[in-house]
Amino acid sequence: MTAPALTIAEILDQPALVPLWPTVGRALGLAESTTYQLASEDRLPIEVIRLGRRRVARTVDLHRFLGLLPEGNGAAPEVQSRATATRNDEAAGVQPAAPVEQLRTSRQ
């Protein structure tokens, strides 16, 4: 069974390095087995870092792939994280569960 995908606010609340599962897999909408299979075949769209037996990814790489970083200037996106927003619907006028395409369209 596939876990529910992460919202934008949940993705933005992550530390610098995140585990391959569940964070990266859920952010990409993948099942656990698919996430590890793609990683073992070096077919994930972001770099996988091995730390001993653990597999992690840089959060900034995940943000970049999902289109959550503005092009060019490297500045953080203008969407508030769940920790700073008192309610999810206050996050920069974007619903946290909004598709990435909706976020891109609203920022242009």
Side-chain angles (χ1 to χ4, degrees):
M1 176 157 89
T2 303
L6 294 176
T7 64
I8 293 171
E10 289 172 327
I11 293 169
L12 294 175
D13 278 340
Q14 299 300 316
L17 292 175
V18 293
L20 199 57
W21 182 261
T23 308
V24 173
R26 285 184 57 205
L28 299 177
L30 302 172
E32 181 177 8
S33 59
T34 304
T35 302
Y36 284 117
Q37 180 68 36
L38 292 174
S40 70
E41 296 171 357
D42 198 27
R43 292 179 40 213
L44 275 177
I46 59 175
E47 180 184 359
V48 175
I49 302 166
R50 293 188 68 99
L51 297 175
R53 295 182 63 203
R54 293 180 56 214
R55 293 183 197 175
V56 297
R58 287 185 298 265
T59 305
V60 69
D61 292 342
L62 181 60
H63 289 179
R64 188 173 292 114
F65 176 75
L66 294 174
L68 298 175
L69 290 179
E71 297 291 325
N73 66 7
E78 296 176 17
V79 177
Q80 291 180 351
S81 70
R82 184 176 304 221
T84 59
T86 56
R87 291 183 17 215
N88 285 342
D89 58 351
E90 294 175 357
V94 176
Q95 296 294 326
V100 174
E101 288 303 317
Q102 180 180 346
L103 180 64
R104 287 183 186 148
T105 304
S106 67
R107 292 183 50 90
Q108 292 177 349

